[in-house]
Amino acid sequence: MGVKSLAPYVRSTHSLRHMMLDVILALCVLMIIPVVETGPRLAVTAACTVAVCVLCEIVFSLIARTPIGVNDLSCVVTGLVITLLMPVNVPQWLPMLAAGFAILVAKAPFGGTGRAPFNPAAAGMAFVTVCFPGQCFQALPLEQFPWWGDCQGNPQATAAALLQQGMRPEPGGVGRLWNLAAGPAGQTALLVLLAAGIYLVIRRTAPWDGAACCLAGAALAAFLFPRAVGSRWESVCFELFAGSLMFCAIFLVGEPSTSPHTRLGRCLYGLGVGALTILLRHVGPYEEGVCFAVLLANPFTPVLDRFAWRIRGGRARNTEGGEAA
């Protein structure tokens, strides 16, 4: 099928629902290790956050008298992504507030899935980051947390926070491949996260090129402008494994409705998000900036697609994975 518009495009509700089911499965797999390590709190928070997303979709549709669009399950993905972008111990109202903003402000007013100019989950996370920065990033040592209510303990500096202070994170970058560390719940054991990404690529649910270029852009920026004490290559490992960069590369940069549809466009988009993330970590007030980088790159999606189509002589075609030649 030829590409007829430059707006974010989804193939059909049927195929979109199957894609969302794949993403939901991958996100649920990422929750297994944190739930085993810290108890059912993460699962309870995820269920409540998803419920807020679904309820906001329904309420907005009833008020605006538009078709209720929860059947495509994109609101479920939004709720799970927001939950996994925060530490397990955050106040449980915080991801719910982010979910309400994501649906009621960043998604539904623009017409729903495929029409929102900004990634809803990134927008929701950016909103609560600006409003409640101390609570969004405050991580406690991993232990069995209560399934509901406040968590007590002394905050632990995350790898992203240590890098912001110019210090060397522990465990080392390679050690994060199999260890669970304090920080965003989605940045679980990185081998599990990598397996989830490979699953989405094999299922043709998410293209690999945008995520790979995002990590490449971040790695290049981290090599040129290191923050960690040690060699430049160690700085690259620390930057890639710290915070939610790798999680966002897989689940936000590869998200089809707000990212380019051409391969060249996705590569440029990913490179930009990766480099912007490291820049924001250097100069931004927050320890993590990948969601802001995604939001800054989102408006350039149609521009990058136009550029790619002109490079290719104006001819484009969609494949099963949303790729334009």
Side-chain angles (χ1 to χ4, degrees):
M1 175 184 288
V3 176
K4 297 182 180 180
S5 71
L6 294 175
Y9 173 78
V10 291
R11 294 170 59 85
S12 69
T13 302
H14 178 73
S15 61
L16 177 62
R17 181 182 174 88
H18 282 76
M19 291 170 62
M20 293 300 104
L21 284 171
D22 284 336
V23 178
I24 290 169
L25 176 60
L27 291 168
C28 288
V29 168
L30 294 184
M31 293 173 59
I32 293 175
I33 294 180
V35 167
V36 171
E37 292 284 339
T38 64
R41 181 183 179 88
L42 180 63
V44 173
T45 303
C48 293
T49 306
V50 168
V52 169
C53 286
V54 173
L55 181 61
C56 288
E57 287 257 17
I58 294 173
V59 169
F60 186 94
S61 297
L62 292 176
I63 294 175
R65 297 182 179 180
T66 57
I68 297 175
V70 298
N71 289 335
D72 61 17
L73 300 179
S74 60
C75 58
V76 177
V77 171
T78 298
L80 292 175
V81 169
I82 288 173
T83 302
L84 290 170
L85 281 171
M86 301 184 192
V88 178
N89 58 267
V90 295
Q92 287 160 306
W93 56 264
L94 195 60
M96 297 180 206
L97 177 62
F101 184 90
I103 301 300
L104 295 177
V105 178
K107 179 183 178 184
F110 297 97
T113 305
R115 297 180 179 88
F118 298 100
N119 185 282
M125 186 63 190
F127 170 70
V128 295
T129 296
V130 172
C131 295
F132 310 98
Q135 291 168 298
C136 283
F137 301 117
Q138 188 177 80
L140 299 179
L142 296 176
E143 58 184 25
Q144 289 290 311
F145 296 122
W147 70 275
W148 190 262
D150 294 335
C151 297
Q152 304 297 324
N154 296 319
Q156 177 178 346
T158 64
L162 291 172
L163 283 171
Q164 188 181 39
Q165 300 167 19
M167 300 172 64
R168 183 186 180 91
E170 293 295 339
V174 177
R176 285 289 293 111
L177 289 174
W178 55 82
N179 290 327
L180 186 64
Q187 198 76 344
T188 180
L190 296 180
L191 288 177
V192 179
L193 183 58
L194 181 61
I198 293 174
Y199 168 77
L200 294 179
V201 171
I202 292 175
R203 293 282 296 171
R204 304 178 71 88
T205 296
W208 64 270
D209 39 23
C213 287
C214 175
L215 297 177
L220 178 61
F223 183 83
L224 295 176
F225 307 102
R227 291 193 297 168
V229 176
S231 72
R232 291 177 180 266
W233 291 110
E234 285 182 317
S235 178
V236 170
C237 290
F238 288 137
E239 294 285 6
L240 292 182
F241 297 160
S244 54
L245 174 58
M246 190 169 292
F247 176 86
C248 289
I250 295 172
F251 292 101
L252 295 187
V253 176
E255 196 273 325
S257 64
T258 55
S259 60
H261 302 293
T262 58
R263 173 163 292 175
L264 177 59
R266 286 195 300 270
C267 289
L268 295 175
Y269 176 82
L271 287 170
V273 170
L276 271 173
T277 297
I278 303 302
L279 174 63
L280 291 173
R281 286 180 176 182
H282 273 275
V283 303
Y286 312 114
E287 65 184 60
E288 186 55 81
V290 62
C291 287
F292 293 99
V294 170
L295 294 175
L296 289 171
N298 281 159
F300 293 96
T301 289
V303 176
L304 293 172
D305 274 335
R306 286 193 186 99
F307 174 75
W309 289 331
R310 287 175 181 172
I311 292 294
R312 304 285 296 189
R315 296 187 299 275
R317 61 182 176 83
N318 276 349
T319 67
E320 285 292 324
E323 175 187 331

